[in-house]
Amino acid sequence: MRVALIHEWLVNYAGSERVLEQLVTLYPEADVFAVVDFLEPDERQFIANKPVTTSFIQRLPRARKQFRRYLPLMPLAIEQLDLSGYDLVISSSHAVAKGVITGPDQLHISYVHSPMRYVWDLQHQYLNQARLESGPMSWLTRYMLHRLRMWDVRSSNGVDYFVANSEFIRRRIRKTYRRDAAVIYPPVNVDSFPLELDKDDFYLTASRLVTYKRIDLIIEAFAGMPDRKLIIVGEGPEHQKLAQMANDNVELLGHLQFDQLRELMGKARAFVFAAEEDFGIVPVEAQACGTPVIAFARGGALETVQGLDSPLPTGVFFEEQTSASLQRAVEQFEMNEASFSPSRIRQSALRFSEKRFREEFEAFVDECWRVQRQTGTYSKPQASSAS
């Protein structure tokens, strides 16, 4: 069985790349394809230093720094990748990877991190952030997004089985493509985040400093709680704005080495998470350290964090993306702090290990392959409930 692994773009090591890393581990003989590949030689260990077949966008002007500007060309680019020699095609998709063209005797399984957010339910938020609410460029962008939506739905018909990275994304897939999906949670390297029983008196958040992460909301909330200390780890385009907002009880540390971040995660009184994420790996890493999470009650956090209504709580939720709602959640956490057992919190995080991902994904693929070979059709396999 010849296997092809399709990825969007290889420029760094983040959440979707962790999935690709485990797929390369599962299928070491597989070939890797991507729209672009700009990894440096010392960054390629997670794909076992494999060569990558790329699209024509790789060779376009300024693609290394501005490849995202070629988004309107990416549907065409992904369709030009020749996969005719493969039996099994696995795409890891949050934009266009699922749009590769396969034949009737090829099995295509797409692991979806999310349908294109900026094309679907977050279009208006994207236009506002890009200051494209009105004018000729606004309408040109809207038309481009409209065309991308049409292609996105059409290309979903070429996928034999969808796998979602959370129940939240399963609902998005159903809404967008009218297709069902299995749920297999993404891999988290929980073994790299050891249990820490001795906690300090500070709150922590860590993420890329971009608008939708809502670090501004967290800073605003802690500005109203000057007796509580907040530490922020991460870099991004919002750094200067956030630094200007921060009071004396808020410390922005920028980028830290992994060991430093891991130590802070273990020592934190609680980890604060204000974004609506598809899954959210960092809150799981914090829980692996035995650290409770105070999270916005939307998206993947509802599946990774167990609230106070659970027999074994691992965190507290706040219902609205407002500073007042977050402040109430912090107070609720402190009132119930004795309910949180670091060892039990870590045990909950182990549900998302890398080993568990490989076992579930391999079982799902094997069952899809068995059903297709026995029946010649793509009927729903029993393994589709794996999660």
Side-chain angles (χ1 to χ4, degrees):
M1 184 169 66
R2 293 197 64 197
V3 181
L5 304 178
I6 320 301
H7 197 67
E8 244 95 35
W9 42 76
L10 288 165
V11 295
N12 58 12
Y13 180 72
S16 62
E17 285 73 31
R18 300 185 193 202
V19 169
L20 179 62
E21 179 180 31
Q22 297 306 311
L23 295 178
V24 169
T25 301
L26 271 176
Y27 305 101
E29 301 301 320
D31 294 328
V32 179
F33 295 78
V35 174
V36 294
D37 172 20
F38 293 120
L39 292 174
E40 298 297 335
D42 61 348
E43 298 175 327
R44 310 185 69 83
Q45 295 87 345
F46 75 93
I47 57 170
N49 296 304
K50 283 178 170 288
V52 176
T53 301
T54 57
S55 74
F56 65 82
I57 292 178
Q58 179 86 14
R59 301 177 293 279
L60 293 181
R62 300 181 182 178
R64 175 177 286 274
K65 296 295 184 182
Q66 299 181 359
F67 67 90
R68 287 182 177 85
R69 291 182 178 270
Y70 291 113
L71 178 64
L73 295 178
M74 287 187 185
L76 174 64
I78 204 74
E79 291 176 345
Q80 305 315 304
L81 297 177
D82 183 5
L83 305 176
S84 57
Y86 297 91
D87 305 297
L88 172 63
V89 175
I90 301 174
S91 57
S92 170
S93 184
H94 57 77
V96 299
K98 73 164 185 21
V100 292
I101 296 176
T102 55
D105 294 324
Q106 294 174 288
L107 179 62
H108 180 189
I109 297 173
S110 185
Y111 187 93
V112 176
H113 306 276
S114 176
M116 286 187 274
R117 308 174 192 87
Y118 38 86
V119 166
W120 293 100
D121 50 319
L122 298 186
Q123 172 189 285
H124 299 292
Q125 180 178 325
Y126 163 75
L127 292 172
N128 291 338
Q129 291 174 358
R131 298 180 180 178
L132 291 171
E133 298 98 327
S134 60
M137 282 303 299
S138 171
W139 287 107
L140 181 61
T141 303
R142 291 171 192 269
Y143 179 72
M144 181 268 290
L145 295 176
H146 168 70
R147 298 292 299 181
L148 280 173
R149 278 191 291 274
M150 295 172 62
W151 175 86
D152 196 30
V153 172
R154 184 201 61 74
S155 63
S156 69
N157 295 323
V159 177
D160 299 307
Y161 297 104
F162 279 105
V163 181
N165 73 351
S166 65
E167 288 289 348
F168 177 60
I169 295 305
R170 181 181 188 174
R171 294 195 298 273
R172 260 191 179 154
I173 290 171
R174 180 64 183 169
K175 182 78 173 182
T176 304
Y177 307 135
R178 298 302 178 188
R179 296 280 301 277
D180 196 12
V183 175
I184 299 177
Y185 292 118
V188 182
N189 188 4
V190 291
D191 293 337
S192 293
F193 294 85
L195 175 65
E196 175 60 67
L197 299 175
D198 185 20
K199 304 298 182 182
D200 286 343
D201 191 20
F202 67 87
Y203 292 85
L204 174 71
T205 190
S207 79
R208 180 163 163 75
L209 304 184
V210 292
T211 304
Y212 86 94
K213 295 290 187 178
R214 298 309 314 269
I215 305 300
D216 59 331
L217 182 151
I218 301 175
I219 292 177
E220 183 181 340
F222 276 81
M225 301 183 291
D227 55 328
R228 297 173 175 90
K229 181 179 180 180
L230 171 68
I231 294 178
I232 301 171
V233 177
E235 292 181 338
E238 295 276 294
H239 184 274
Q240 184 175 354
K241 168 190 168 183
L242 297 173
Q244 292 173 348
M245 293 178 58
N247 287 359
D248 292 341
N249 65 320
V250 176
E251 186 175 5
L252 281 81
L253 298 183
H255 173 75
L256 294 183
Q257 296 299 317
F258 175 74
D259 290 346
Q260 296 172 299
L261 174 60
R262 179 174 57 186
E263 182 178 359
L264 286 174
M265 276 191 174
K267 291 291 187 180
R269 188 174 181 181
F271 185 88
V272 185
F273 189 68
E276 180 179 329
E277 285 279 19
D278 307 326
F279 175 76
I281 287 177
V282 181
V284 178
E285 294 172 341
Q287 291 175 84
C289 298
T291 300
V293 175
I294 301 172
F296 179 47
R298 297 291 186 278
L302 291 171
E303 300 170 54
T304 63
V305 179
Q306 297 174 187
L308 288 171
D309 56 346
S310 170
L312 301 174
T314 68
V316 174
F317 292 111
F318 59 100
E319 295 295 329
E320 301 174 347
Q321 277 184 318
T322 64
S323 58
S325 183
L326 175 52
Q327 288 169 350
R328 289 193 295 270
V330 171
E331 293 170 357
Q332 190 179 27
F333 162 73
E334 293 179 355
M335 290 172 55
N336 295 274
E337 201 162 1
S339 303
F340 298 101
S341 163
S343 59
R344 289 176 176 173
I345 293 174
R346 175 173 174 78
Q347 194 62 38
S348 176
L350 296 181
R351 297 178 292 147
F352 307 102
S353 70
E354 293 175 335
K355 180 175 181 292
R356 180 273 323 161
F357 172 84
R358 290 194 301 269
E359 290 174 348
E360 292 187 1
F361 195 86
E362 184 176 31
F364 180 79
V365 171
D366 288 349
E367 182 65 4
C368 292
W369 183 261
R370 184 191 65 80
V371 170
Q372 194 271 341
R373 282 296 175 261
Q374 285 188 354
T375 66
T377 63
Y378 296 103
S379 58
K380 185 176 178 181
Q382 294 180 354
S384 63
S385 61
S387 61

